[in-house]
């Protein structure tokens, strides 16, 4: 490491970060909070809409969902495809088979509109409830 960077790191360690600690108790607290997070089917559908801003395969989508901490499809990846099919029936997403045998999913115009409505709202939980009650997602 460059000598200047070592000095910078040492200066930061000596000042800003010295009083900070992250012990096992902190780790356990973070893990409990992650485990407690609610992951309703509606939140999962919304997450899928957010991730499909770019066209994705089901496989890459599953990885991105997992990276967001959602473990709903860990043991049963087939249920992801059931959820994708449900969103397709609601005309929020569309799918297309490619010549290489892979199936790609993307947002429809309706899906983009619903996502924009949700993301621009100051009361996101209420908008999500409204979308669910109306059967839109």
């Amino acid at each position: 490491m460059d000598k200047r960077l070592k000095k910078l790191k040492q200066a930061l360690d000596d000042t800003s970060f010295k009083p900070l600690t992250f012990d096992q108790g902190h780790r356990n607290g973070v893990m409990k909070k992650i485990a407690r997070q609610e992951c309703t089917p509606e939140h999962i559908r919304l997450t899928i809409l957010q991730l499909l801003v770019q066209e994705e395969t089901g496989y890459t989508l599953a990885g991105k969902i997992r990276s967001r901490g959602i473990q709903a499809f860990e043991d049963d990846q087939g249920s992801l495809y059931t959820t994708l099919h449900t969103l397709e029936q609601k005309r929020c997403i569309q799918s297309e088979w490619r010549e290489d045998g892979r199936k790609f999913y993307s947002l429809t115009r309706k899906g983009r509109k619903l996502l924009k409505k949700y993301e621009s709202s100051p009361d996101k939980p209420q908008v999500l409830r409204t979308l669910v009650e109306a059967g839109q997602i």
Side-chain angles (χ1 to χ4, degrees), residues 3-5 11 29-30 34 37 41 43 45-46 52 55 69 71-72 75 84 86 93 96 98 101 106 112 123-124:
K3 189 175 183 179
R4 292 175 293 163
L5 292 176
V30 168
I34 289 171
Q37 287 180 342
H43 283 99
R45 290 181 195 149
L46 182 65
L52 286 178
E55 197 175 57
Q71 299 174 356
D75 298 328
L84 290 170
T86 300
I93 66 171
E96 175 187 351
R98 299 283 170 82
S106 61
R112 281 190 294 278
D123 189 7
K124 290 179 177 20

Side-chain angles (χ1 to χ4, degrees), residues 31-75:
M31 296 308 286
K32 282 181 184 177
K33 192 162 193 159
I34 289 171
R36 237 187 340 198
Q37 287 180 342
E38 232 177 87
C39 202
T40 64
E42 295 79 22
H43 283 99
I44 292 171
R45 290 181 195 149
L46 182 65
T47 299
I48 290 171
L49 293 180
Q50 290 171 332
L51 292 172
L52 286 178
V53 170
Q54 293 181 339
E55 197 175 57
E56 301 285 351
T57 63
Y59 180 79
T60 56
L61 190 59
K64 288 182 178 187
I65 290 169
R66 193 173 323 127
S67 71
R68 285 197 175 192
I70 299 172
Q71 299 174 356
F73 307 116
E74 282 295 312
D75 298 328

